[in-house]
Amino acid sequence: MERKTAYSTLAEWFEYLNDDCDYEKWSQYLVKTLAGFPSLTNGIDIGCGGGYFTRALYKAGYEMTGLDVSAEMLDKAQRSAFKAGTRGEYILGDVAKDKIVGKYSFAIAINDCFNYVPSEKLQRAFKNVYGALKKGGVFVFDVSSPKKYAEKFQGAVNVDDRDDVTYMSFASLVGRQARLEVTLFVKDSDGRYTRQDETHVQYVHTEEEIAKALAAAGFSVLKTEGHLGEDKAASDRLVFLAQK
């Protein structure tokens, strides 16, 4: 069976299948972090996916734009925004290749967006973010940590079986390239299931490499911590707070 690109089918189900990650707590962490900079007014959510954080920050009072490389994700984000009664523009683009249109007082990139960017393209991607920010603009993003890939990724098999969809993933790590082979069985209206397969490729980045690339792009790193403020040494994520 032909394997599709990342999020071709998963886009429709991504937030639904990740309902155990506490999106509400995660979004409030972002709101609290951004509140430390009272002059912020408008932001861009890079790798916005289905748009949960775009919608949450709009509800918190910010003008928001969502950017993603997946057309399927943007379609889901737009439909979800309409359903939630939130506003915002959604743009198709690749932060590792394309300049970002517009000027923003902050940017976020949450839930592994930059793990999809190869190491040799990190600096260019950060320069594209830098160019989209106003002077003093704030950049908050996270990556899955080397610790997570080393201890929890290699050989991991995950299954989530629900009435309307079954998700399976198989993880492998070769050097610093992480591959996730995803299979979805989606229930059709006639009760039968359609199988869809897609491949996700991520890259392991160290804190030092990211800090160096940020500095080369012009950013000052204000803080690095673990997920939701955890001790970064024990966390599965590294969160960076940088400023132009």
Side-chain angles (χ1 to χ4, degrees):
M1 179 173 290
E2 179 185 359
R3 302 198 73 85
K4 297 185 177 182
T5 56
Y7 299 108
S8 296
T9 300
L10 187 56
E12 187 66 30
W13 302 96
F14 187 75
E15 286 184 13
Y16 174 62
L17 290 168
N18 282 276
D19 55 8
D20 60 345
C21 75
D22 202 340
Y23 275 117
E24 175 62 24
K25 188 175 181 179
W26 208 343
S27 63
Q28 289 309 307
Y29 166 80
L30 291 173
V31 171
K32 182 179 178 180
T33 299
L34 295 170
F37 303 87
S39 63
L40 304 183
T41 57
N42 68 323
I44 183 163
D45 183 358
I46 299 167
C48 67
Y52 188 96
F53 300 115
T54 322
R55 300 192 301 273
L57 290 176
Y58 174 85
K59 292 176 183 178
Y62 298 105
E63 296 178 15
M64 293 301 301
T65 296
L67 173 76
D68 205 280
V69 72
S70 167
E72 292 85 358
M73 274 294 204
L74 290 175
D75 177 67
K76 178 63 175 180
Q78 289 174 318
R79 286 185 283 116
S80 296
F82 180 79
K83 185 176 181 180
T86 62
R87 297 180 181 178
E89 183 178 9
Y90 291 91
I91 303 171
L92 182 67
D94 185 345
V95 69
K97 298 178 181 178
D98 309 321
K99 290 185 178 180
I100 300 172
V101 177
K103 285 292 182 181
Y104 306 91
S105 57
F106 70 89
I108 65 168
I110 304 302
N111 200 5
D112 300 345
C113 170
F114 281 92
N115 285 113
Y116 284 90
V117 178
S119 296
E120 64 271 17
K121 295 183 179 181
L122 271 180
Q123 184 176 326
R124 180 177 178 182
F126 291 153
K127 282 186 175 180
N128 285 336
V129 179
Y130 187 90
L133 290 174
K134 301 172 184 176
K135 184 178 180 180
V138 174
F139 182 25
V140 184
F141 69 98
D142 66 28
V143 294
S144 283
S145 66
K147 174 183 178 296
K148 174 183 174 180
Y149 285 110
E151 297 179 1
K152 298 182 179 181
F153 191 85
Q154 173 70 339
V157 177
N158 290 300
V159 178
D160 189 345
D161 185 22
R162 307 195 185 193
D163 290 340
D164 44 2
V165 62
T166 296
Y167 167 93
M168 298 187 296
S169 67
F170 307 86
S172 62
L173 185 64
V174 179
R176 296 176 62 181
Q177 185 182 96
R179 294 179 66 89
L180 197 67
E181 305 294 348
V182 173
T183 295
L184 292 168
F185 291 94
V186 180
K187 191 174 184 178
D188 299 326
S189 58
D190 60 5
R192 294 185 295 179
Y193 287 81
T194 299
R195 174 176 173 171
Q196 300 288 348
D197 298 273
E198 53 184 64
T199 299
H200 297 238
V201 180
Q202 298 182 352
Y203 301 89
V204 183
H205 304 309
T206 68
E207 179 181 350
E208 293 74 19
E209 288 170 337
I210 291 175
K212 183 178 179 180
L214 284 168
F219 282 105
S220 297
V221 178
L222 305 181
K223 183 170 63 172
T224 309
E225 60 188 8
H227 184 54
L228 305 183
E230 296 173 339
D231 175 9
K232 63 184 179 182
S235 182
D236 284 344
R237 294 187 186 277
L238 296 173
V239 183
F240 293 81
L241 174 60
Q243 190 169 28
K244 179 172 180 175

